[in-house]
Amino acid sequence: MHAETLTRNEAIPLDVPALAMRGIGKRFPGVVALDGVDLTLMPGKVHALMGENGAGKSTLIKILAGVYGKDSGTIAIGGVETELKTPRDALKKGIKVVFQEIALISEFTVAENIFLEEYPRRADGSIAWKTIRAEAKALFDRIGFAVDPAARTGDLPVSQQQMVEIARALAHEAKIVVMDEPTSSLTPKEVELLFVVIRRLTALGIAVVYVSHKLDEVFEISDTVTVLRDGRHISTKPIGEHTHDSLIHDMIGRRIENLFPRSRTGSAGKVALSVEGLSTDTKLKDVSFEARAGEVLGFFGLMGAGRTELAKAIVGYDPIRTGRITIDGTALKPHDTRTAVSLGIGLLTEDRKLEGLMLELPVQQNMSLAALSSFAKAGFVDEGSERSAVQSFVDRFRVKTPSLFQPIKNLSGGNQQKVLLARWLMRGLKVIVVDEPTRGIDVGAKSEIFALIDRLAGEGLAVIMMTSEMPELLGLSDRIAVMAEGRLTATFSREEATQERILNAAIA
Amino acid sequence: MPQSPSLSASGSASPGLARILFRRSEIGLVVALLAVILFFALASDTFLTVRNLTNVLGQASLAMIAGVGVAIVFISGEVDVSVGSLVAAVAIPLITVMNATESLALGIAAALALGLCVGIVNGFLAAYLGINSLITTLGTLFILRGGVYLYTGQKAIPDDVMLESFFQLGNGRLFEVVPYPALIAFALLLVFAYVMRHRTFGRKVYAVGGNPEVARLAGYDVKRVKFTCFIISSLLATVSGILLASRLGSAVHVAGLGFEFQVVAAVVLGGVSLSGGVGSLFGAALGVLILSFLSNGLGMLDLATEWQLVITGFIIIAAVGFDEWKRRQP
Amino acid sequence: EKMPKKVGYVVNYATHEWYQNVIKGMKDRAAQLGFEVEVKDANLDAAKQIAAAEDFMSQGVDVLIITPVNEDAVVPLLRRAKQENMPIVLEGNPVKGMTTLVAICDYDTGYHAGVEAGKYAKEHLGGKAKVMNVGLPLLSATVLRSNGFMDGIKTEVPDAVMVHDLDGGGNPDRSFEVSAAALAQNGDVNVIYGINDSSSLGGLQAWKAAGKSQDDLLVVGTGGEGLAFINAIEKEPSYKIEAAMFPEKVGFTAIDAAVKLYNKEEVPSWIVSPTTPMLGDGWKKYYSVDGNVRTINWDAVNAVKAPDKCMKTAADLKK
Amino acid sequence: MTTDTLPARKRGVSLSALTDNSQIVLIGLLAVLCIGISLAAPQFYSPDNAIAILRQCALVLIVAVGMTMLLVAGEVDLSVGASLAFTGCVAMDVTNRTHSVVLGALAALAFSGAVGLFNGLVVTRLKINSLIATIATMMILQGGVYLYTREAVQNHHLLDAFTAIGAGYVGPVPIPVIIAAVIFAVGYVTLRFTLFGRYLYAVGANLRAARLSGLRAERLKLLAFVITGLLVGVAGLILASLMNAGQPTAGRGFELTVIAAVILGGTSLAGGRGTLFGTLLGVLVLKIVDNGIIILRWNQDLQMVVPGLVIILATWLDIVRRRNDAR
Ligand SMILES: Nc1ncnc2c1ncn2[C@@H]1O[C@H](COP(=O)(O)OP(=O)(O)OP(=O)(O)O)[C@@H](O)[C@H]1O
Ligand SMILES: Nc1ncnc2c1ncn2[C@@H]1O[C@H](COP(=O)(O)OP(=O)(O)OP(=O)(O)O)[C@@H](O)[C@H]1O
Ligand SMILES: [Mg+2]
Ligand SMILES: [Mg+2]
């Protein structure tokens, strides 16, 4: 029965809206997340949902998924008004959601996660494990996704987990498929794959909601765009009526002159970080490079190339087998984050939730963590100066939060990222390693972060940036290092670097 | 890809024998159990007799039955420490009803009814009202024990009718060899291991414990799953309590003091994580067996209680420490 | 007379001083008679007690001695032992279906201590007796002691009252805690009775911690289990009476009963082990202390007469 | 949900650390208890009884200060009861041998500190879940204390200073209460205002994030275990003095009382949340319930039932309050 899921469902009429949300309102303590928002989806069309961080996109989607109850408004599916009280209701109505935060059970196999919502069963009611594995394999083959269905999900890199999530949305019949930032950690190749899948879905008459901060993707895949700002509905237009600039203007209410500002003039200074012959038991092999004060050193690599491992090894988080890391001439003790941090190196991690956020704690505690000792006199924390420092960063980065005491789990993803970046900037650093710094961040905030990185480098910081975004790599980096399978395969200067050369080195 | 129906916790049928061996902590436990048995077999000549081995199986079965339930609750991401008092409490309706009606079936029904009520209360408080389950069950642990003392006036209630069937339940042996409690324990273990692996309910328990938010998004009724786990745990503890009452021939107000520690230690030793979503019932059962054989063997060596305590403590640390170390290996 | 090769003793709670000394008495006696006693500890766990007895039976001991954690809880065990022809001596309290029991008379012990306490109250406390009973309702034996004490004291001071009836758990810190609360609620007490030494000492410590003087106070302990009471009698002015129960003698008697059972001789179903109140430094008659070791004076203890029958038993409580 | 993690101050409101509203339920409960009990039994308010209650709170509170830190850091210690008994024996024994209260006290602290260190090392180095690790330590200590001494260690030294630790007074106030008050104050300031305290919350809230931020997470946890151990030493010393003997049987169930009080005070078992003020309230509630049952001459078996009910009720009321706050 599952094999037929990808054929056109004749029962879906193409002229009735698959979904009509009208006047949706939702408030959280201290925040109006949504205020009278409309969203209409037509069958077989891709509808992009855009807006700054905290605009309310995920909230709208969670209402659609039955996760949150709405405070006001109506929802009609296929022309029939309904209530979506629980995720189960939504699933039954044929709404499949790929959430922004990965929603898989890491202890389960990939195949089991695919069928989490409804296990195929045998006649006696027991779970048909063979069917599950076979169907998962068949599904993956169909969408050209090469992953072992028997692998433990938690062992997969983030990008593959995200693909598993997407595949999961296809395992059962759906009328509406919603994707909340599905590509935030996908490689370009996987994004292509995803688009093929989306086009297949629309051909079947399925309505797709697509949330992304990546303008190029939106222009490529979507038919219609709805823009939200501060929880309000700003515009809904066919994509053809938009330009890059008009879309950005709708989203943030202003124009962005230059996404990749370059104010730095001076050349790079002395060596701030030097890594020699670094190898780990798991992935890295003989990596050597230098980063200079005042430069942005970009790292590129395909998924699993080892950038995250490199980042964690340099800051002393993961053990290393051989190699020497020095900061400003002082050698680091291996596997010792504390001295690394005290010598002035910090890592903005790729996995916010697992390694960055203290979810239950307020914004203030989250932001001041790394710099806390600098607010302390004789072991006592001066909370006054701590708070004013935090407040100034909240203002500068435009972190959207009702107060400094808001538990950080209630902030939108982008705002959480800003808090974590601020965590490091509050503390004087010599080297900052940023791993996918703009993952899940809106254009406005992106340009702010880019400006910030530029300014930090201008102030003499060595910035090491691991990113999978080619434009941001080319736009910001002074030099670009490329990794493949745990080795450093090439280093280009800003002038030498082209997309082809970089990709060639990454495949090598 | 070769797929064998595996009963591992994660339900993963991993390729490659080496990976299976390293993934499945039960292998380590089996080795540990065999090591314990081998050691005592060499150290004491009365240890490795059919009579002694079956004795231990019978003795272990009470903790095993309750341990299966506690493990299920652990896997669902909650804890249940009320079992220590529950095993004593259920004996009261059991014995009282039997004394009044001379019917074992009615007595068992009464005991199960009380177990069910406790399970419902635990489950309601922990799953539906959202009170931390350690607090909830610590609370019911105290309340039940206090209730038993109040009700019995701190005296045991003797079994006046002395039904042979009741005596046999906890004291008899199949073919004069295998104690009935051991048979009951293994039957329950197999049933629930099957449920946890091959029924959707079991997988829901793992999912709910592994990541409740994800489970909710997948359309599971997280609260109801947890609620059910508490009921299962209480009912299984009731079965333990019934067998215990049969072995003690009465409702003993001090029965099961500290039983919850014993069960929790065994279950954790068996690799069932306190943080939920991880572990298997076979592991939990092996944990119980290891501790039971250890206790029996140390007794055979004529070691004083104090040495037994010290040695058991160090062995728990060594075993769990080794397990953690193994888990950290790539 | 044949001697058994090995006797197994499943003790209620081996870490308690009382049972330590019971075991000591058993081992002494068995050594005299030339055989071995092996001990397994139930550690207050009724289920563990059954398991330990099972283990003994499969190990093949000749006689089992058991101090039940709970009397009702060993009934099935006695039944199984009978099926397997395993002779059992019980220590402590009677059990349905038992062959023989070695025990002190708890009620009598409390009673005689109570009589002495009454005499002391008449002489030193102005004939008034307001008692704080640091008791243990958990066990019938300890309830009997408290009852005996009150009945005994009333023979001398008819208007003696029990001001507080506490559950001190039989351990010192709990006894301390409940006594402190009780004394704060009503401190008009001049006799503290403890069902064992931990209880009387816990009560006394609470008295001292409340800042009260020991001048008009009498403390009565029970058991004479170890060194604690000797220390208290030597150092605390109010600790005057100890109801000695001679645990070593209990062990001694139990071994003799085990030998008789092994030889299939007739044994009485209730063998009473003697007790007696010790006043002031009267303990020196029965014990001598060297450092941390106390030694029993067997001649003096064996000379103490035991009654043939107890005045009251647990069976009387149930009525 | 609102934050009740660190007592958060609202902007512009000056420091008033006690106004954290997450404790309102407990304060209310405490008021109800006090009023209820004293209506039924006026002796409840007698100075004698107040002092008896405070002294009983002292022992629990001293250890609960350490336990709160441990729970905040995401760990737990179940061995404190067994350690309490052992430490008391060590204190009495060493004082007997040396005739020095100072050496006796130091020996007690050294012993219990070492137990804390052992727990900390087992948890941080062997990476064993602290619940199971400290159950094992509990067993080892319970066995060990009987290997060390079968009998209660009697007071042979008869030093007044030793007796004063547990049973002495300064004016009308028992010395243990003063010790507990000082420890509480130091603990409160430490957890609330120092770097160490703030780091404990971070470690408990997200271990990896804390480590990546340069915190020595393992060392911080270790320190929390050692602090708890040392506080057990203080409590053990007081108990030995109060009992006038080192009792190997003491402390049964003490760990559960301590943990119950800490949890009742709103500290989360999951780490990263909790306050010492809440712990103080938790201890008071439990001990007043205990005392009330004796004062009211209720059946003492209720001393098990009522705390069970109170803990569940208080936690539930707290959930309800937070849910309402969130509206
Ligand atoms: N559970 C919650 N409690 C309180 N506030 C919340 C909660 N969830 C979201 N918010 C707030 O609601 C607003 C909308 O958040 P939402 O997650 O919908 O934004 P978004 O558009 O998806 O942003 P992003 O692009 O960063 O993912 C934000 O201000 C956020 O802080
Ligand atoms: N194909 C794969 N299958 C399974 N695990 C993989 C695979 N590729 C990488 N991994 C694991 O996933 C993690 C991701 O690798 P790492 O993060 O170092 O690479 P990266 O270059 O940073 O890639 P990413 O773009 O995902 O951040 C590593 O722990 C690695 O062992
Ligand atoms: Mg979002
Ligand atoms: Mg990476």
Side-chain angles (χ1 to χ4, degrees), chain D residues 72-274:
Chain D
V72 162
E75 303 292 345
V76 68
D77 186 352
L78 284 172
S79 71
V80 293
S83 180
L84 184 78
F86 208 146
T87 314
C89 295
V90 170
M92 190 58 91
D93 189 26
V94 172
T95 314
N96 278 339
R97 286 169 201 268
T98 61
H99 277 269
S100 157
V101 176
V102 175
L103 288 180
L106 286 178
L109 292 178
F111 177 82
S112 60
V115 172
L117 186 68
F118 176 79
N119 281 331
L121 287 175
V122 167
V123 170
T124 59
R125 290 292 151 87
L126 302 185
K127 312 251 184 277
I128 301 183
N129 178 299
S130 56
L131 191 69
I132 189 84
T134 56
I135 287 185
T137 310
M138 176 176 86
M139 296 171 93
I140 294 171
L141 289 172
Q142 274 174 358
V145 73
Y146 289 119
L147 291 172
Y148 176 64
T149 174
R150 287 284 187 176
E151 317 204 346
V153 183
Q154 298 302 325
N155 179 347
H156 294 302
H157 52 71
L158 298 180
L159 295 167
D160 288 340
F162 191 91
T163 314
I165 298 174
Y169 286 82
V170 173
V173 191
I175 289 180
V177 175
I178 296 175
I179 297 176
V182 170
I183 286 175
F184 176 78
V186 172
Y188 184 86
V189 169
T190 306
L191 200 52
R192 175 72 181 82
F193 296 110
T194 67
L195 213 48
F196 172 68
R198 290 285 300 271
Y199 282 172
L200 285 184
Y201 283 94
V203 167
N206 187 336
L207 185 69
R208 293 174 188 230
R211 279 177 55 198
L212 272 171
S213 302
L215 273 57
R216 272 185 286 206
E218 267 69 34
R219 179 118 21 128
L220 288 161
K221 286 189 173 184
L222 190 68
L223 208 53
F225 273 108
V226 173
I227 290 175
T228 306
L230 291 173
L231 293 177
V232 172
V234 175
L237 196 63
I238 293 175
L239 188 66
S241 162
L242 269 177
M243 296 284 107
N244 203 28
Q247 297 283 2
T249 54
R252 279 176 180 266
F254 183 71
E255 62 282 349
L256 291 183
T257 311
V258 172
I259 291 171
V262 174
I263 292 176
L264 184 58
T267 298
S268 156
L269 283 162
R273 286 168 47 179

Side-chain angles (χ1 to χ4, degrees), chain C residues 17 20 167 173-174 205 209, chain D residues 150-151 169 242 251 300 303:
Chain C
E17 283 168 319
Q20 284 293 312
D167 180 358
D173 40 345
R174 187 71 195 149
Q205 288 304 322
Chain D
R150 287 284 187 176
E151 317 204 346
Y169 286 82
L242 269 177
Q300 259 175 260
Q303 283 183 333

Side-chain angles (χ1 to χ4, degrees), chain C residues 92-302:
Chain C
N93 285 293
V95 174
K96 201 164 28 171
M98 68 176 184
T99 319
T100 184
L101 166 76
V102 175
I104 58 150
C105 293
D106 287 294
Y107 180 87
D108 305 32
T109 309
Y111 183 88
H112 296 303
V115 172
E116 295 301 331
K119 287 183 187 154
Y120 183 93
K122 270 208 232 157
E123 243 173 81
H124 302 281
L125 304 178
K128 282 201 286 287
K130 294 177 179 169
V131 182
M132 176 166 81
N133 172 39
V134 189
L136 181 57
L138 190 78
L139 302 175
S140 55
T142 49
V143 173
L144 281 170
R145 288 174 209 170
S146 298
N147 291 355
F149 182 80
M150 286 314 293
D151 291 348
I153 203 168
K154 279 179 186 156
T155 60
E156 298 288 328
V157 184
D159 56 352
V161 287
M162 192 190 278
V163 180
H164 295 291
D165 187 9
L166 305 174
D167 180 358
N171 69 53
D173 40 345
R174 187 71 195 149
S175 296
F176 175 87
E177 219 171 273
V178 296
S179 304
L183 289 172
Q185 192 245 358
N186 179 358
D188 189 14
V189 161
N190 65 359
V191 178
I192 297 175
Y193 176 70
I195 50 85
N196 61 8
D197 292 342
S198 294
S199 303
S200 51
L201 287 170
L204 172 59
Q205 288 304 322
W207 180 275
K208 283 160 67 184
K212 291 168 168 283
S213 133
Q214 294 190 42
D215 288 349
D216 290 315
L217 179 71
L218 168 67
V219 180
V220 182
T222 310
E225 295 138 12
L227 295 173
F229 86 94
I230 296 176
N231 195 55
I233 287 183
E234 295 295 290
K235 289 172 189 145
E236 304 291 357
S238 62
Y239 204 111
K240 290 289 186 222
I241 301 176
E242 177 74 14
M245 306 199 300
F246 306 119
E248 295 92 337
K249 175 72 179 173
V250 172
F252 186 102
T253 317
I255 289 293
D256 282 351
V259 173
K260 288 212 177 95
L261 275 193
Y262 180 69
N263 286 304
K264 304 208 160 45
E265 288 173 36
E266 266 307 299
V267 284
S269 65
W270 192 309
I271 307 170
V272 178
S273 184
T275 62
T276 183
M278 304 184 293
L279 310 180
D281 58 6
W283 63 271
K284 287 182 176 155
K285 187 171 154 201
Y286 304 105
Y287 292 107
S288 57
V289 171
D290 180 23
N292 276 335
V293 186
R294 81 169 190 187
T295 320
I296 190 163
N297 179 355
W298 278 118
D299 293 338
V301 172
N302 285 339

Side-chain angles (χ1 to χ4, degrees), chain A residues 478-482 490-498 501-502 505:
Chain A
D478 295 296
R479 287 190 302 138
I480 291 168
V482 185
T491 312
F492 304 102
S493 70
R494 186 179 173 79
E495 292 71 33
E496 299 165 343
T498 64
R501 293 170 102 168
I502 292 172

Side-chain angles (χ1 to χ4, degrees), chain A residues 52-54 56-59 61-62 100-101 180-181 211 213 412-414 440:
Chain A
E52 289 180 282
N53 292 129
K57 306 177 295 289
S58 297
T59 307
I61 285 168
K62 284 182 181 165
Q100 187 172 8
E101 308 288 343
D180 194 353
E181 302 199 29
V211 180
H213 290 298
S412 75

Side-chain angles (χ1 to χ4, degrees), chain A residues 26-34 49-62 68 100-101 180-181 211-213 228 230-231 352 400-402 406-416 439-442, chain D residues 1:
Chain A
K26 175 76 189 171
R27 46 175 70 234
F28 293 110
V31 186
V32 180
L34 293 173
L49 190 58
M50 308 221 33
E52 289 180 282
N53 292 129
K57 306 177 295 289
S58 297
T59 307
L60 186 65
I61 285 168
K62 284 182 181 165
Y68 293 153
Q100 187 172 8
E101 308 288 343
D180 194 353
E181 302 199 29
V211 180
S212 177
H213 290 298
L228 303 182
D230 290 334
R352 269 202 298 271
K400 229 175 245 164
T401 174
Q406 184 76 352
I408 199 158
K409 66 175 179 192
N410 292 346
L411 264 55
S412 75
N415 283 306
Q416 290 173 344
R439 180 168 287 174
I441 283 194
D442 72 43
Chain D
M1 288 211 188

